[in-house]
Amino acid sequence: MIPIYEADRLEDLPLFDRGPQAEADVGAAVDAVLEAVRTRGDEALREYTRRFDGADLTSFEVTEAEMEAAWDSVDEDFRETLRQAAANIRRFHEAQVHRDFCLTDRPGVVLGQRYTPIEKVGVCVPGSPVAFPSTILMNVIPAKIAGVREIVVVTPPDENGAISGSALAAAKIAGADRVFKLGGAQAVAALAYGTETVPRVDKIVGPGGVFVAAAKRKVFGQVAIDMIAGPSEILVVADGKSDPAWAAADLLSQAEHDTHAAAVLVTDSRLLAEAVQREIETQLADLPRRDIARKSLEANGKILVTKDLAAAVEAANRIAPEHLELCVDDPFALLPLVKNAGSVFLGRHTPEALGDYFAGPNHTLPTSGTARFSSPLSVDDFVKKTQFIYYTREALTDAAPRIADFAEREGLHGHARSALSRMEEKGE
Amino acid sequence: MIPIYEADRLEDLPLFDRGPQAEADVGAAVDAVLEAVRTRGDEALREYTRRFDGADLTSFEVTEAEMEAAWDSVDEDFRETLRQAAANIRRFHEAQVHRDFCLTDRPGVVLGQRYTPIEKVGVCVPGSPVAFPSTILMNVIPAKIAGVREIVVVTPPDENGAISGSALAAAKIAGADRVFKLGGAQAVAALAYGTETVPRVDKIVGPGGVFVAAAKRKVFGQVAIDMIAGPSEILVVADGKSDPAWAAADLLSQAEHDTHAAAVLVTDSRLLAEAVQREIETQLADLPRRDIARKSLEANGKILVTKDLAAAVEAANRIAPEHLELCVDDPFALLPLVKNAGSVFLGRHTPEALGDYFAGPNHTLPTSGTARFSSPLSVDDFVKKTQFIYYTREALTDAAPRIADFAEREGLHGHARSALSRMEEKGE
């Protein structure tokens, strides 16, 4: 049963263990895969795809014909769901686009900052149990909005060398440029180094198991990566008026992800705490993934009782959860108190699942307490900034003595000279 | 002598080696330092500061009295230089501040994104040869503008346990909250884990040698880090009308940094290429750091001759330099062609040194070709984003069937239930 704690003193708050996955265990294996793909290219990819996915492929790229067949295989109702979800995601992420700026208010001086898209991006999509269409929408659409020129999706094939129709339909709707039947560390290697048929990209994003996580960490620097996601987490803040069945359902929706997932309820009501504890047991009985959910709850599930709702939000800030639900009458009153959280779900009718698939904000969120310093995946992750500076001769003349003095004090005389040399124009 | 290449075909462009520093060599030593500071705190800090900095300290924090004495020790002229530089940096970085947004155009739906400051930030400032005041201004001011609550500067003491007056004056002007006399891997460890007297921070920024770089990479995940900076680089695009003396001075201002620094001239004029080649030799003769500059030029310096200026900018995009100078008549015509560069210096009177100290844009820039996917340090590095979603019951009712369908197709029935359970209100 999920345990209940009194958590009036925040220092005593029992935190759960959210260490990184055991990447070290697979380090040597991943090194071998990276090296093989770097040196032997497609040949190594064929080998690993045969060994790990059981598929014998001569070429990896999904063809136009396969795309069309996939599209036709998906029922129109789900296509419409994908279209609506994509439209919502597009609308939210378009609001994230920043403008370049330019400062021109000083005579002879222009300063500015431009955004340009990263040129090529790879999106990893895990294949097990199925390639999630939602993962494809959430990773490809922000890249598309950022203006990335080439978006390459990689996802492992099944034993017949095929990829699920709904994943390909999502890739089409999201606007992916190319899809390759590749998974695991070998897919990361192909994107980081390039092969005869797979383009080398500038950034690799998307979730993955321990092999993909380890490979991403190893190629980081060569290429950019997004984040190494840990187990999924939810923290539900709920008042005494909350329906225990809803709170229980939300906690279970997280716990069913995997056995390391964390589901926490924080409430100011001892009564609710106990009711949710009972309700979880009831709902577990007929949940298809109940074994996973139960293990997860036993390891990382907890219910905290705080003296009031402000203390509950303070507890949330301390835990810095990936998902934070505020199931209270006036959630907007609590929102300004939230400091550390990936995505906040406001009110009684905003379950986390809404954000996972449909509402529009991204579902790739900082885990393991990294919401203290990290952000949800966004258009920002697919652009980079370039600063620019322009000075006229007159403006430089004014500034040069101070620049030279500054440089001399830091011991860099060549820097001083590069400013002063402009003052010694020939023939004057 | 710096070599000249014809680079009409970009594929043939000779790139220089910009691999990461040899962090692996110091890995074991850094592990030991991290572990000692994590488990023994201040005692370990005292030990390492004695061993590595030769200073015997009982406490590490710079006192109010030391701050005042430092301020008084700096001449008023340099204080004014610091003030003007700080004002320019503040002005530029204030323009980077993003607004929260909120989308309210659909009935029953509110979506948004908030920015909140990272709570505590540590700034590492190398001590050798001196703690650079410019490093302090460039790292502390953006954090201050972001609203970071506690900004902690660490910089190693000299043998007398002192820190340079101009560094402390810069810390005061920039608005650092606390300064500690700590350097190397032990400073990074103290910031990542916290000790009896040093606060644990959420993010560590600032440059450093190989020990600091290795330590930052190892604590990454525990805390956020900025980037692992490689050797400094400049790429000067110059037309035939450029003064060879200025171009040479700019190349040398980079080459004098360290022997791994890279200085590259790209020009459409063979005549200029040869003139700059000669001029570098002349200027090297009386440059105080000529030995360093010469080694750097021999290893990584080069001059490329392209068929026109557009090809020169294309070469720059391929190299993705930290600093890019456009020494041409109409630099703003070339600016839109620039894709990959940290900071662009436009025109004949905008030497890189202007950006290092004074103009306002940041001098912490992506190196080693990472401008393909990374950005200059900015206010963005000291904030994080939180998304929020609010749906009314009616809005959820509309969306729930599609959410449930989506979840079922991805095999997550608990997700489906958490949406549908809201529809089964009791007593209805």
Side-chain angles (χ1 to χ4, degrees):
Chain A
M1 208 174 329
I2 189 168
I4 300 179
Y5 302 86
E6 295 287 337
D8 271 352
R9 291 177 52 216
L10 277 182
E11 314 80 269
D12 299 338
L13 195 68
L15 290 172
F16 32 85
D17 177 29
R18 299 187 292 188
Q21 287 173 280
E23 289 168 33
D25 300 347
V26 301
V30 167
D31 280 336
V33 172
L34 293 178
E35 180 61 13
V37 174
R38 200 175 62 75
T39 54
R40 296 194 293 119
D42 283 349
E43 190 199 325
L45 292 180
R46 265 189 293 275
E47 233 172 83
Y48 289 120
T49 303
R50 195 155 45 226
R51 196 190 309 170
F52 297 134
D53 305 312
D56 216 337
L57 297 182
T58 45
S59 75
F60 304 103
E61 185 161 6
V62 172
T63 63
E64 199 66 34
E66 284 174 296
M67 268 301 211
E68 275 172 40
W71 183 253
D72 293 337
S73 77
V74 175
D75 55 288
E76 178 53 26
D77 192 52
F78 190 54
R79 283 188 213 150
E80 181 55 24
T81 296
L82 286 175
R83 267 189 222 108
Q84 290 189 18
N88 290 345
I89 295 167
R90 229 168 258 136
R91 179 161 155 274
F92 184 81
H93 288 77
E94 274 164 2
Q96 292 176 331
V97 175
H98 300 301
R99 298 252 177 100
D100 299 352
F101 70 78
C102 195
L103 306 176
T104 57
D105 54 331
R106 293 203 185 165
V109 176
V110 177
L111 305 175
Q113 181 178 276
R114 296 171 66 215
Y115 290 88
T116 47
I118 293 176
E119 207 163 294
K120 296 184 186 188
V121 165
V123 176
C124 295
V125 182
S128 172
V130 289
F132 285 175
S134 62
T135 305
I136 295 173
L137 298 183
M138 290 291 184
N139 282 274
V140 172
I141 291 174
K144 197 81 188 168
I145 292 171
V148 172
R149 197 167 58 73
E150 189 164 16
I151 303 170
V152 180
V153 170
V154 294
T155 189
D158 63 19
E159 288 180 12
N160 304 315
I163 290 174
S164 95
S166 54
L168 292 181
K172 183 187 163 88
I173 284 179
D177 296 292
R178 305 172 74 176
V179 181
F180 287 84
K181 300 168 181 174
L182 288 167
Q186 61 272 24
V188 175
L191 294 170
Y193 306 125
T195 70
E196 298 90 318
T197 60
V198 183
R200 179 188 162 206
V201 302
D202 301 302
K203 183 162 188 170
I204 300 175
V205 301
V210 65
F211 284 92
V212 166
K216 277 169 70 178
R217 201 185 291 270
K218 281 168 192 287
V219 299
F220 170 51
Q222 278 284 333
V223 296
I225 61 171
D226 51 347
M227 55 185 99
I228 308 284
S232 198
E233 304 158 352
I234 194 170
L235 191 148
V236 177
V237 170
D239 62 16
K241 286 193 271 174
S242 301
D243 186 326
W246 300 2
D250 294 354
L251 295 170
L252 286 171
S253 80
Q254 204 58 24
E256 74 172 351
H257 265 296
D258 63 79
T259 56
H260 298 289
V264 177
L265 173 70
V266 188
T267 177
D268 59 349
S269 158
R270 179 88 205 176
L271 269 179
L272 182 81
E274 286 163 7
V276 171
Q277 190 181 46
R278 283 190 303 272
E279 181 67 29
I280 283 177
E281 292 302 311
T282 309
Q283 292 191 20
L284 266 174
D286 64 341
L287 188 69
R289 293 166 71 91
R290 60 180 162 272
D291 292 344
I292 292 171
R294 188 178 289 284
K295 272 196 193 138
S296 149
L297 287 174
E298 274 164 13
N300 289 314
K302 40 183 66 75
I303 297 178
L304 308 174
V305 182
T306 55
K307 67 173 194 299
D308 55 27
L309 288 175
V313 175
E314 229 182 302
N317 283 330
R318 186 133 180 261
I319 291 175
E322 184 189 10
H323 307 97
L324 171 62
E325 287 189 6
L326 299 178
C327 302
V328 298
D329 276 339
D330 188 3
F332 284 95
L334 294 181
L335 182 61
L337 303 179
V338 175
K339 285 184 197 156
N340 303 325
S343 226
V344 187
F345 300 81
L346 297 158
R348 305 193 189 282
H349 296 90
T350 314
E352 190 223 295
L354 195 52
D356 289 341
Y357 302 109
F358 199 76
N362 212 283
H363 77 190
T364 309
L365 303 170
T367 56
S368 307
T370 56
R372 285 184 297 126
F373 49 72
S374 305
S375 302
L377 190 74
S378 74
V379 172
D380 293 348
D381 292 291
F382 299 102
V383 296
K384 69 269 197 277
K385 290 163 272 190
T386 298
Q387 306 170 156
F388 57 87
I389 307 174
Y390 167 81
Y391 265 54
T392 58
R393 177 158 197 265
E394 294 67 32
L396 179 66
T397 304
D398 284 350
R402 298 218 175 263
I403 296 164
D405 180 36
F406 213 136
E408 295 286 355
R409 285 174 198 255
E410 296 194 352
L412 295 172
H413 307 281
H415 282 62
R417 187 191 281 169
S418 84
L420 294 176
S421 70
R422 261 75 173 181
M423 308 299 92
E424 306 152 3
E425 286 208 50
K426 277 149 198 156
E428 290 190 326
Chain B
M1 209 171 335
I2 188 169
I4 300 179
Y5 301 86
E6 296 288 337
D8 271 352
R9 290 178 51 217
L10 277 182
E11 313 82 89
D12 299 337
L13 196 67
L15 289 172
F16 32 84
D17 177 31
R18 300 185 292 188
Q21 288 174 280
E23 289 167 33
D25 300 346
V26 302
V30 167
D31 280 338
V33 172
L34 293 178
E35 180 60 15
V37 173
R38 200 175 62 76
T39 53
R40 296 193 293 119
D42 283 350
E43 190 199 327
L45 291 180
R46 265 189 292 275
E47 234 171 82
Y48 288 120
T49 303
R50 197 157 42 228
R51 196 190 308 169
F52 297 133
D53 305 311
D56 214 338
L57 297 181
T58 46
S59 75
F60 303 102
E61 185 161 6
V62 171
T63 63
E64 199 67 36
E66 283 174 296
M67 267 300 210
E68 276 173 38
W71 182 253
D72 293 337
S73 77
V74 175
D75 54 290
E76 178 52 26
D77 190 53
F78 189 55
R79 283 188 214 150
E80 180 55 25
T81 296
L82 286 175
R83 266 189 224 108
Q84 289 189 18
N88 290 344
I89 295 166
R90 229 169 257 135
R91 180 161 155 273
F92 184 81
H93 288 78
E94 274 163 3
Q96 292 175 330
V97 175
H98 301 302
R99 298 251 178 101
D100 298 352
F101 70 78
C102 195
L103 305 177
T104 57
D105 54 331
R106 294 202 185 167
V109 176
V110 178
L111 306 174
Q113 180 178 277
R114 298 171 65 215
Y115 290 88
T116 48
I118 293 176
E119 207 164 293
K120 296 184 187 189
V121 166
V123 176
C124 295
V125 182
S128 173
V130 290
F132 285 175
S134 61
T135 305
I136 295 174
L137 298 183
M138 290 291 184
N139 283 274
V140 172
I141 291 173
K144 197 80 187 170
I145 291 171
V148 173
R149 198 168 57 71
E150 190 165 15
I151 303 170
V152 181
V153 170
V154 294
T155 189
D158 62 20
E159 287 180 12
N160 305 315
I163 289 174
S164 95
S166 53
L168 292 180
K172 183 187 164 89
I173 284 178
D177 295 293
R178 304 172 74 177
V179 181
F180 287 84
K181 300 168 182 175
L182 287 167
Q186 62 272 23
V188 175
L191 293 170
Y193 306 126
T195 70
E196 299 90 318
T197 59
V198 183
R200 178 187 163 206
V201 302
D202 302 302
K203 183 162 188 169
I204 300 175
V205 300
V210 65
F211 285 91
V212 166
K216 277 169 71 180
R217 201 185 292 268
K218 281 168 192 288
V219 299
F220 170 52
Q222 279 282 334
V223 296
I225 62 170
D226 51 348
M227 56 185 99
I228 309 283
S232 197
E233 304 158 352
I234 195 171
L235 192 149
V236 177
V237 169
D239 62 16
K241 287 194 270 173
S242 301
D243 186 325
W246 300 2
D250 294 355
L251 295 170
L252 286 170
S253 81
Q254 204 58 24
E256 74 172 351
H257 264 296
D258 64 78
T259 56
H260 298 289
V264 177
L265 173 70
V266 188
T267 178
D268 59 348
S269 157
R270 178 89 206 177
L271 269 178
L272 183 81
E274 286 164 8
V276 171
Q277 190 181 45
R278 284 190 303 272
E279 181 67 30
I280 283 177
E281 292 302 310
T282 310
Q283 291 190 21
L284 266 173
D286 64 338
L287 189 70
R289 293 166 70 93
R290 61 180 162 269
D291 291 344
I292 293 171
R294 187 177 290 282
K295 272 196 194 138
S296 147
L297 287 174
E298 274 164 14
N300 290 315
K302 43 182 64 74
I303 298 177
L304 308 175
V305 182
T306 54
K307 67 173 194 298
D308 55 29
L309 288 175
V313 175
E314 227 181 302
N317 283 330
R318 187 134 179 261
I319 292 175
E322 184 188 11
H323 307 96
L324 172 62
E325 287 188 5
L326 300 178
C327 302
V328 298
D329 275 338
D330 188 3
F332 283 95
L334 294 181
L335 183 61
L337 303 179
V338 175
K339 284 183 197 157
N340 304 325
S343 224
V344 186
F345 300 81
L346 298 158
R348 306 194 189 281
H349 295 91
T350 314
E352 189 221 296
L354 195 51
D356 288 341
Y357 301 110
F358 199 76
N362 212 282
H363 77 189
T364 309
L365 303 172
T367 56
S368 308
T370 57
R372 285 184 296 126
F373 48 72
S374 306
S375 303
L377 190 74
S378 74
V379 172
D380 293 348
D381 293 291
F382 299 102
V383 297
K384 68 270 196 276
K385 289 163 274 191
T386 297
Q387 304 170 157
F388 57 88
I389 307 173
Y390 168 80
Y391 266 54
T392 59
R393 176 155 197 265
E394 294 68 32
L396 179 65
T397 304
D398 284 350
R402 297 218 176 263
I403 296 164
D405 180 37
F406 213 136
E408 296 285 355
R409 284 175 199 254
E410 296 195 352
L412 295 171
H413 307 281
H415 283 61
R417 186 192 283 168
S418 83
L420 295 175
S421 70
R422 261 76 173 179
M423 309 298 91
E424 307 152 1
E425 284 206 53
K426 277 148 198 158
E428 287 190 326

